[in-house]
Amino acid sequence: QVRLVESGGGLVQAGGTLRLSCAARGMITSVFNPADWGWYRQAPGQQRELVASLTSRGNTVYSDSVKGRFSISRDSRRKAVYLEMNNLKPEDTAVYYCNKVSNTLDWGQGTQVTVSS
């Protein structure tokens, strides 16, 4: 059974940097590689939103709120997806999750990112 495990969150001051990691445990490479992957976030009282996505061909799409500050990448050998977050703002505070962009898997526990002003 596939399990998504996110890590790397924490408390950081505005302007700081974090790198999130997501491991797709139990997923075989032939399933991981063709999938488009994304990072989502959910702030308190708000719906989960997709903030960054990466296709199997390497194309990226970012929401306007994070464009120019966040960078998504993947490691097919490790079956992992990463999110580099720079120049963090208080409004980036949320629980961050990774998942496929379509045909989503069961959600992991997420990783909390808190940005103080």
Side-chain angles (χ1 to χ4, degrees), residues 78-115:
R78 290 185 167 86
K79 287 168 282 186
V81 186
Y82 306 100
L83 187 67
E84 181 84 14
M85 306 187 297
N86 299 304
N87 189 22
L88 282 160
K89 304 176 180 181
E91 50 264 43
D92 295 320
T93 295
V95 179
Y96 285 72
Y97 304 85
C98 77
N99 211 318
K100 295 166 60 182
V101 174
S102 59
N103 299 318
T104 55
L105 305 167
D106 290 341
W107 294 92
Q109 83 287 350
T111 186
Q112 175 71 48
V113 171
T114 303
V115 184

Side-chain angles (χ1 to χ4, degrees), residues 2 10 20-21 67 75 103 109 112:
V2 175
L20 306 184
S21 299
K67 195 175 297 182
D75 184 330
N103 299 318
Q109 83 287 350
Q112 175 71 48

Side-chain angles (χ1 to χ4, degrees), residues 1-29:
Q1 185 175 350
V2 175
R3 192 163 65 100
L4 300 173
V5 181
E6 299 93 349
S7 60
L11 173 63
V12 64
Q13 288 189 332
T17 296
L18 283 174
R19 185 174 188 254
L20 306 184
S21 299
C22 170
R25 295 181 179 176
M27 179 172 282
I28 59 177
T29 303

